[in-house]
Amino acid sequence: MTAARILIVEDERIVAEDLRLTLLQLGYEVTGSVASGEEAIPLAKERSPDLILMDIFLAGKMDGITATGEIRKFSAVPVIYLTAFADTTIMDKAKITEPYGYILKPYQERELHTIIEIALYKYRLDRQLRESEERYRRIVETANEGIWCIDTTGRTLFTNQRMAALLGCSVDDLVGRNVSEFIVPDDLAAYTREWTERHLGKRGNYELRLRHRNGSVRWMHLSSTPLYDEKGAFSGSFSMLADITDRVIAEENLRQINEELEERVCKRTADLDHQVHFLQQLIDTIPSPVYYKDSNFRYLGCNRTFESYLGLSRDAIIGKTTNDIAPQDLAALTALKDQYLISHQGIQVYQIKFPHQDASVRDIIVKKATFNDSSGRTLGIIGVWMDISDRVRAEEALTESEKRFRAVVQDQSELIYRFRVDRRILFANKAFLDYFALDENKTVGYIFRLPIHPDDQQSVNDHFASLVPEHPVGLIEYRCTRGDGSVAWQQWSNRAFFDGAGNVTEYQSVGRDITRKKEIEEQQRRAFQQIEQNLQQFATLNDHIRNPLAVIVMLAGLKEDENSRKIIEKSREIDQILGRMHAGYLDSEKVRMFLRKHYGIEG
């Protein structure tokens, strides 16, 4: 399934970046991130996201609610509002734009994921409902049959345009009128019996006559079913009506047609000779060789393509057997196949190599079947040749290509192998075998399990269990023991292959050694820890300076001489510098929280 594409509209950079990374970790695609409503509107139109995360209070003249209103003019994309204030007035204003949810900041990752999934699911349901309603409306309005819905008294509740047209009326003319007004009097008794059946909960199919507005009588076929209200009480009936007037007239005319039939049979007999000629022309247009034989295996006919393959005319073929016109080995095989087909009936398919009259050897699939007379007696065999020479050459080329592909894979530096669910190795390239110090002859075709570090085994099991038809590919990092006994980190891209029932048949894994990358990450983590310690020491130093400074200011304030005044001024300057440094420390705390959340760096 394609990842949902999400547009972020948030004017706080750290919050916007936090949202972007969180969405990527949750498997979504971020199609853009902007800080104002003025930027969001054209970007939503250009990129058509699947969902928008919209902050209500934005930089610029336009707030998120106004921006959503503008987007609603050209798109029904679901919008989830982000806000730090759950103010009733704001919420009431936001409701006008029909959002799919609200998220209060600071948000929780699980809450964000849940609200997004619910919004996407609700949007899909809303769209399906709109499409369904439109479909059924079109079906009713474009139906070839008339639709007539009446209540328990026979009064018309609903009818479609087709029904109105069948009676020469408008829909408004029919609604509210009783159905009995349109029934031919002689058919009212039959209608009453059918109406009683509806009351008993039975469906019915019947025919009756209705009067057209112009006074003519139209025959109708009705398929009726009873209707019930929410309490299960009978509330009327629903009927589909088809105008069968033409059919009734046609049945009346059938008698005259039958009288003419005998005369036409005589003429038809004369036409059969022409049809035989036509059929010969027809099979001549078939590009594949076609022939037919009698039960004694003598050719009765063939098309021109068959003649061209043998290099013989039709007159030279008819009346002959395969022994007369084909090489001895092919004739012997054909005789055996023909005898088996005549005795067992059915269809026969096999492949041969045929020496074409142009001196080339063709790969042919022969498909034959018996044909019978009206009593079921076998009269002979009809056969079709399918020239698959081009396909055979293509398959040979494909086989050669596969050999080249395997050679390319063997030369790859990445670790590549395929295995079944029972861990039996189907293929492993040289890089994989060398990395784990394995012998190909003792590995391919045998059950093999990677020497995974015990601490990583459960996460590996969970990873493979998460591969499903909707998400067959996954990426994971874990440790394995190499052939020399050392423990190394690898990154693996795994793909699962499934059968028609959705069951895993095999896996393909492509890996690379990332041990050095992990070592660098560990060095970075330690460096950030050292920075954290330095910042903590600075905070402590700040307190150690400010406390004595306050005492100095107090003592200097006891005197009113010039030196005391200068001491107080300098102390205040130092205090301001410390205040700015403390503000920087608080800002650094936000950065540390960001590093902890997205890079796992702890103090």
Side-chain angles (χ1 to χ4, degrees):
M1 181 181 292
T2 304
R5 301 167 62 253
I6 298 177
L7 172 62
I8 299 172
V9 186
E10 169 61 62
D11 58 351
E12 293 188 43
R13 289 188 177 181
I14 289 183
V15 174
E17 180 63 10
D18 183 53
L19 276 171
R20 186 185 73 83
L21 292 173
T22 300
L23 292 174
L24 292 175
Q25 288 174 353
L26 292 174
Y28 300 112
E29 177 185 342
V30 177
T31 189
S33 178
V34 295
S36 68
E38 290 84 353
E39 296 174 289
I41 295 169
L43 194 61
K45 181 178 292 186
E46 174 190 346
R47 299 189 181 176
S48 300
D50 298 317
L51 184 139
I52 299 176
L53 291 177
M54 177 77 71
D55 190 7
I56 290 181
F57 298 102
L58 295 170
K61 298 180 179 179
M62 183 181 295
D63 62 18
I65 296 174
T66 304
T68 299
E70 292 299 313
I71 292 172
R72 280 283 177 265
K73 294 179 181 179
F74 60 83
S75 174
V77 59
V79 174
I80 296 175
Y81 283 126
L82 301 170
T83 180
F85 308 99
D87 184 80
T88 303
T89 304
I90 296 174
M91 293 297 105
D92 290 341
K93 182 181 177 183
K95 288 178 183 177
I96 299 174
T97 59
E98 299 180 352
Y100 278 69
Y102 302 88
I103 297 176
L104 293 177
K105 297 186 287 185
Y107 64 89
Q108 297 295 321
E109 182 178 307
R110 180 177 297 179
E111 175 193 13
L112 176 67
H113 189 200
T114 300
I115 293 176
I116 289 175
E117 286 300 308
I118 291 174
L120 292 172
Y121 178 73
K122 183 176 180 296
Y123 175 69
R124 286 194 295 270
L125 290 182
D126 290 346
R127 184 176 60 188
Q128 291 171 1
L129 179 60
R130 290 194 298 270
E131 292 172 352
S132 177
E133 289 174 346
E134 179 62 16
R135 253 193 326 269
Y136 284 115
R137 186 189 67 79
R138 290 183 180 178
I139 289 172
V140 169
E141 291 301 326
T142 60
N144 290 324
E145 293 81 14
I147 297 175
W148 206 338
C149 183
I150 61 177
D151 64 13
T152 56
T153 66
R155 184 173 59 89
T156 302
L157 299 175
F158 171 80
T159 186
N160 67 346
Q161 188 63 44
R162 175 58 177 166
M163 186 67 249
L166 290 175
L167 297 177
C169 303
S170 68
V171 172
D172 291 338
D173 291 337
L174 287 179
V175 174
R177 295 178 65 180
N178 197 288
V179 66
S180 61
E181 296 178 33
F182 301 91
I183 299 175
V184 172
D186 290 346
D187 291 348
L188 280 172
Y191 168 76
T192 301
R193 288 193 298 271
E194 288 294 333
W195 185 240
T196 302
E197 295 291 305
R198 301 298 87 73
H199 272 274
L200 296 175
K202 299 179 180 179
R203 298 180 178 182
N205 292 284
Y206 58 104
E207 298 174 0
L208 55 73
R209 291 169 292 175
L210 299 179
R211 287 199 176 279
H212 193 275
R213 187 174 186 177
N214 63 13
S216 63
V217 174
R218 308 298 297 178
W219 277 94
M220 300 288 173
H221 179 272
L222 288 82
S223 295
S224 300
T225 186
L227 296 176
Y228 301 93
D229 60 21
E230 63 275 7
K231 296 181 180 180
F234 178 72
S235 62
S237 74
F238 175 89
S239 300
M240 301 284 289
L241 290 85
D243 190 331
I244 60 169
T245 305
D246 293 338
R247 191 195 78 185
V248 173
I249 295 173
E251 289 173 349
E252 179 62 23
N253 293 334
L254 184 59
R255 183 182 57 83
Q256 298 177 9
I257 294 174
N258 286 333
E259 291 176 354
E260 297 173 1
L261 183 59
E262 187 172 348
E263 179 182 351
R264 294 185 180 183
V265 167
C266 296
K267 185 178 182 301
R268 180 62 175 166
T269 302
D271 292 337
L272 287 177
D273 291 338
H274 298 290
Q275 290 187 11
V276 170
H277 179 66
F278 168 77
L279 289 175
Q280 182 59 53
Q281 291 179 318
L282 179 63
I283 67 169
D284 281 341
T285 63
I286 298 173
S288 297
V290 179
Y291 62 91
Y292 47 101
K293 307 176 181 180
D294 63 19
S295 56
N296 294 318
F297 313 124
R298 294 187 179 276
Y299 289 97
L300 298 174
C302 63
N303 67 352
R304 290 177 180 174
T305 308
F306 188 81
E307 294 178 53
S308 68
Y309 268 63
L310 270 67
L312 299 172
S313 68
R314 184 179 294 113
D315 291 338
I317 296 172
I318 292 175
K320 303 292 194 305
T321 66
T322 307
N323 288 327
D324 300 323
I325 60 175
Q328 184 177 357
D329 56 342
L330 180 59
L333 174 63
T334 302
L336 289 174
K337 295 289 187 181
D338 286 350
Q339 291 170 1
Y340 183 90
L341 182 59
I342 286 290
S343 61
H344 290 79
Q345 305 293 302
I347 297 175
Q348 188 180 77
V349 180
Y350 59 96
Q351 186 172 339
I352 62 171
K353 287 189 177 295
F354 180 78
H356 194 276
Q357 62 92 16
D358 64 3
S360 65
V361 176
R362 304 291 181 90
D363 291 280
I364 303 292
I365 289 181
V366 181
K367 188 170 185 177
K368 298 186 292 188
T370 55
F371 63 92
N372 307 322
D373 62 13
S374 58
S375 65
R377 183 171 59 91
T378 300
L379 297 180
I381 296 172
I382 183 168
V384 179
W385 287 3
M386 289 177 285
D387 192 330
I388 60 168
S389 302
D390 291 340
R391 191 183 81 186
V392 170
R393 286 193 292 272
E395 290 174 349
E396 291 172 350
L398 178 61
T399 300
E400 184 61 30
S401 176
E402 289 177 347
K403 290 180 180 178
R404 290 195 296 271
F405 172 76
R406 280 181 171 268
V408 170
V409 171
Q410 286 289 2
D411 293 336
Q412 294 294 314
S413 61
E414 293 181 311
L415 317 177
I416 303 173
Y417 77 115
R418 292 173 69 100
F419 57 98
R420 292 180 180 164
V421 178
D422 63 358
R423 301 293 172 175
R424 190 177 301 276
I425 301 296
L426 300 174
F427 169 79
N429 72 342
K430 186 176 184 300
F432 178 90
L433 296 169
D434 292 345
Y435 188 87
F436 291 103
L438 299 173
D439 183 348
E440 181 178 8
N441 295 327
K442 297 180 181 180
T443 304
V444 176
Y446 294 87
I447 293 175
F448 171 78
R449 295 182 182 274
L450 283 180
I452 300 169
H453 193 281
D455 293 344
D456 297 341
Q457 185 63 61
Q458 187 58 49
S459 64
V460 174
N461 294 343
D462 295 341
H463 166 75
F464 278 97
S466 70
L467 301 181
V468 294
E470 295 78 12
H471 301 285
V473 180
L475 194 68
I476 186 173
E477 296 177 359
Y478 55 88
R479 293 163 291 179
C480 287
T481 303
R482 296 190 58 179
D484 59 5
S486 63
V487 176
W489 279 91
Q490 301 92 38
Q491 182 185 74
W492 295 93
S493 175
N494 300 301
R495 171 180 283 275
F497 297 88
F498 301 85
D499 59 21
N503 300 314
V504 178
T505 58
E506 62 184 80
Y507 297 93
Q508 176 176 288
S509 296
V510 179
R512 61 189 181 92
D513 191 302
I514 59 169
T515 304
R516 180 55 183 162
K517 171 176 170 290
K518 287 292 185 179
E519 291 173 353
I520 293 173
E521 289 176 353
E522 177 62 20
Q523 292 171 2
Q524 291 175 339
R525 189 185 68 81
R526 292 176 179 174
F528 281 119
Q529 285 179 335
Q530 184 61 49
I531 293 172
E532 174 75 12
Q533 292 174 2
N534 293 341
L535 289 172
Q536 290 292 344
Q537 291 173 358
F538 165 74
T540 302
L541 180 63
N542 186 8
D543 291 337
H544 289 170
I545 294 175
R546 275 192 163 175
N547 291 337
L549 188 64
V551 175
I552 293 172
V553 171
M554 182 185 71
L555 295 175
L558 297 176
K559 295 182 179 182
E560 297 182 354
D561 55 12
E562 182 64 21
N563 289 333
S564 297
R565 186 182 60 79
K566 290 181 179 180
I567 290 172
I568 291 173
E569 288 178 356
K570 290 298 181 181
S571 297
R572 287 175 179 170
E573 289 177 5
I574 294 172
D575 184 69
Q576 290 174 356
I577 292 171
L578 291 174
R580 289 194 295 271
M581 293 176 69
H582 183 66
Y585 170 78
L586 293 178
D587 287 339
S588 70
E589 181 64 24
K590 295 180 181 179
V591 175
R592 290 199 301 277
M593 290 176 65
F594 180 84
L595 294 175
R596 288 192 193 102
K597 180 174 182 180
H598 295 289
Y599 296 96
I601 298 172
E602 298 292 342

